[in-house]
Amino acid sequence: MGAFTTEEFERSFKELYQPLCLFALRFINKADDAEDIVQQTFADLWDKRTGMNRILNLKAYLFRSVRNRSLSVIAQAGWTPLEEPLTNAEDRSLEESMYNAERDARLWNAIDKLPPERKKIFLLSKRDGLKYQEIADELNLSVKTVENQISKALKALRETTIRIYTFFLG
Amino acid sequence: MDEKQYDKQEERIRFVAKHYREGSLNAKQAWNRLARTKGIRPPAFRRRYLAMAASFALLLASVAAFYYWKANTPRWVEITAAAGQLKEVYLPDSTLVSMSGGSRIRYNAKTFGKKGREVEMNGKAFYRVTRDESRPFSIQTKMAEVVVLGTSFQISQRYASIRVHVATGKVNFIAGEGREKENVILTANMSASYAMETKKIQTLTGEDANFLSWKTGLLQFHNTPLERVIEDLNDYYQVRVISRSMIRGEKLTATFNRLPLEEILLIINQTLDVRLTVDKSN
């Protein structure tokens, strides 16, 4: 037995793929690049598995690897790091980073589960930065409807995080 | 939740929304890609699960096979006539079978009347077959097979020979085994016999008046050689009649209606001046 079992490896991949991608997106601006980094991190780990001692905290190991790889990709490409990488003190510790990345993954999945119309309006606003009036014009809706849909979307997203807080405190 | 936390959350939502694309960050797809390139097999527990599923499927298959086998296993209905007794039975297709003492017939209740009507027999029996051309009636004996549509006929099977006598209609008499199989079509009043020894079918026409005597109780002889009379008596009374005198071509013409054997022997002995008696040695 090497650093981990095949089951552990697969389970970690499936559980941590999204959080790790979102974590990488804190350093790199493109989702495709983030996915490549995470994929490559797992691939390397798999290749090295037999020569390694058993990894006790596979999750921490993976987050560290993704961070290092992201930083080296930035350095190699000569990209300028994002303006304020890891600005908050909370994000500095790996523990916090992991927790926040998992929370981001939950938000991602909550967006994924929004009803199509609401999701579209929400993304036009929060991702594409359109004003409510612009969205209303674009989709031939009233501003009121747009507001309504966005507030419902935000409510759904906040509920996911509230549940996490509750869980975290309780 | 204080204001700072609230802002923080708004920041997170904006961050995730900014990168969100439909179908992106699909862990399952990404895993499949990795597993493919690295040749990672499903983990052992899932392989064990698959093995379990496979053995369960195998179990199901065997249960199904068992029930299939069971459904196709014959359910034999067997009818036996006690020694010295005439027995008449109707088969499910209303064919009448008159069985002589010690005879036995059987059929598979699961298949009888489905495609055909198959009966196996042993001994001697007279059949009055209900006509049904779509379901041929056939009788299997150790040596021969008799196939009919609708008719009445008799089959008597002895140790090494079989005889079929047709009363009405038409039957196909097939005898022998493998390549040596022979067949003959018999019509009313024809009889045929097959012996293991000769492996040949012998056809006889209209000479056996007593083939049904076991059923009718009537024994008729018309200028019949004494040897043949003895044969018929043996057959009817299921005994062994022997002659203590030399047989010199005596012929008998007589009709006996349900007479005791001793009386018949007495009449024959007196009429033909012979000494017939029942062999009680065995």
Side-chain angles (χ1 to χ4, degrees):
Chain A
M1 188 56 59
F4 43 79
T5 65
T6 310
E7 288 100 313
E8 282 170 347
F9 186 73
E10 184 179 349
R11 201 176 338 111
S12 300
F13 187 99
K14 286 178 175 169
E15 271 173 26
L16 300 175
Y17 184 75
Q18 285 184 327
L20 285 168
C21 288
L22 287 160
F23 180 56
L25 279 170
R26 291 280 173 185
F27 306 94
I28 284 175
N29 212 359
K30 277 173 71 187
D32 284 348
D33 292 335
E35 289 204 71
D36 284 348
I37 285 167
V38 173
Q39 180 86 220
Q40 202 51 53
T41 304
F42 274 103
D44 282 1
L45 181 60
W46 178 256
D47 291 339
K48 287 192 295 189
R49 72 193 182 284
T50 41
M52 287 170 90
N53 289 327
R54 186 160 177 80
I55 299 170
L56 291 176
N57 193 340
L58 196 55
K59 184 169 151 187
Y61 178 94
L62 284 163
F63 272 89
R64 237 181 346 257
S65 301
V66 167
R67 185 184 58 197
N68 294 342
R69 188 176 287 272
S70 302
L71 293 174
S72 80
V73 165
I74 293 168
Q76 271 172 23
W79 292 340
T80 21
L82 293 179
E83 273 170 36
E84 290 176 284
L86 316 178
T87 39
N88 290 299
E90 286 168 84
D91 271 351
R92 292 219 179 91
S93 83
L94 194 67
E95 198 77 11
E96 276 296 320
S97 303
M98 295 193 297
Y99 170 68
N100 286 329
E102 284 178 320
R103 217 151 49 116
D104 289 346
R106 278 170 200 261
L107 282 173
W108 179 287
N109 288 318
I111 294 172
D112 222 22
K113 287 197 191 85
L114 290 174
E117 187 68 12
R118 190 173 302 162
K119 190 198 279 187
K120 194 172 172 187
I121 294 167
F122 172 80
L123 290 172
L124 282 172
S125 166
K126 299 290 169 187
R127 181 181 62 189
D128 306 330
L130 267 64
K131 294 191 171 67
Y132 289 1
Q133 184 62 57
E134 290 169 327
I135 298 169
D137 292 346
E138 171 115 12
L139 299 178
N140 232 346
L141 299 165
S142 71
V143 176
K144 191 88 190 145
T145 312
V146 173
E147 271 174 16
N148 195 18
Q149 290 287 5
I150 287 175
S151 87
K152 277 180 179 161
L154 284 173
K155 189 163 174 274
L157 296 193
R158 278 186 200 121
E159 270 169 10
T160 37
T161 43
I162 285 163
R163 260 206 298 279
I164 297 159
Y165 277 124
T166 323
F167 167 74
F168 196 61
L169 298 173
Chain B
M1 202 185 285
D2 62 28
E3 207 160 298
K4 195 179 160 225
Q5 266 181 321
Y6 186 85
D7 286 349
K8 184 104 187 67
Q9 199 188 355
E10 291 302 296
E11 188 277 323
R12 296 211 160 274
I13 289 173
R14 243 193 327 276
F15 167 75
V16 175
K18 195 175 81 184
H19 292 290
Y20 180 87
R21 265 183 303 135
E22 197 85 48
S24 191
L25 302 201
N26 186 325
K28 211 172 164 189
Q29 269 177 19
W31 168 257
N32 290 341
R33 199 164 66 232
L34 182 70
R36 209 167 40 244
T37 52
K38 294 292 167 193
I40 302 170
R41 298 207 295 141
F45 78 91
R46 210 178 312 148
R47 259 180 282 136
R48 230 179 300 141
Y49 172 79
L50 280 175
M52 265 166 61
S55 48
F56 183 68
L58 190 70
L59 181 75
L60 266 183
S62 6
V63 168
F66 172 74
Y67 277 103
Y68 180 79
W69 170 79
K70 210 179 156 204
N72 284 284
T73 310
R75 203 174 74 232
W76 294 111
V77 173
E78 194 165 312
I79 302 140
T80 309
Q85 270 185 6
L86 171 70
K87 184 161 191 154
E88 299 210 307
V89 288
Y90 281 100
L91 299 181
D93 65 332
S94 79
T95 287
L96 175 68
V97 187
S98 310
M99 300 161 67
S100 85
S103 300
R104 200 157 54 90
I105 64 165
R106 71 169 192 174
Y107 61 91
N108 179 0
K110 272 187 198 154
T111 57
F112 189 90
K114 293 256 165 67
K115 270 185 213 146
R117 297 169 286 171
E118 284 168 15
V119 172
E120 292 180 22
M121 74 162 280
N122 212 313
K124 179 155 76 176
F126 180 84
Y127 293 83
R128 205 187 64 215
V129 177
T130 305
R131 194 174 184 87
D132 184 351
E133 290 181 35
S134 65
R135 296 178 301 166
F137 193 99
S138 68
I139 294 139
Q140 287 279 350
T141 74
K142 234 195 300 187
M143 280 170 285
E145 184 183 359
V146 176
V147 183
V148 296
L149 297 175
T151 185
S152 58
F153 58 95
Q154 173 175 300
I155 297 173
S156 47
Q157 193 210 343
R158 300 223 184 86
Y159 176 65
S161 72
I162 179 164
R163 174 175 289 195
V164 179
H165 193 109
V166 178
T168 63
K170 197 154 93 170
V171 311
N172 188 8
F173 179 47
I174 307 150
E177 277 170 81
R179 251 178 254 154
E180 288 174 37
K181 237 173 209 176
E182 278 190 85
N183 84 303
V184 63
I185 307 281
L186 302 173
T187 51
N189 287 321
M190 278 176 83
S191 64
S193 65
Y194 176 86
M196 286 282 250
E197 212 175 357
T198 58
K199 296 201 189 309
K200 283 266 177 297
I201 293 179
Q202 218 187 344
T203 326
L204 313 145
T205 318
E207 76 171 53
D208 190 351
N210 293 320
F211 83 95
L212 268 181
S213 54
W214 61 276
K215 193 167 169 279
T216 57
L218 211 64
L219 276 168
Q220 287 175 300
F221 301 103
H222 185 77
N223 232 1
T224 309
L226 191 58
E227 295 96 324
R228 186 62 203 268
V229 173
I230 291 172
E231 233 177 78
D232 284 355
L233 289 174
N234 285 345
D235 210 35
Y236 184 85
Y237 290 100
Q238 296 290 301
V239 291
R240 211 164 93 86
V241 172
I242 50 168
S243 173
R244 293 202 186 281
S245 62
M246 195 67 157
I247 295 173
R248 292 175 297 264
E250 289 90 344
K251 288 188 171 154
L252 180 73
T253 299
T255 298
F256 305 114
N257 195 353
R258 294 176 199 275
L259 289 183
L261 179 60
E262 287 70 26
E263 214 166 304
I264 292 175
L265 292 183
L266 194 67
I267 294 166
I268 294 173
N269 286 346
Q270 282 175 358
T271 321
L272 298 177
D273 191 23
V274 290
R275 286 173 64 199
L276 298 185
T277 175
V278 176
D279 179 16
K280 291 192 169 111
S281 63
N282 54 351

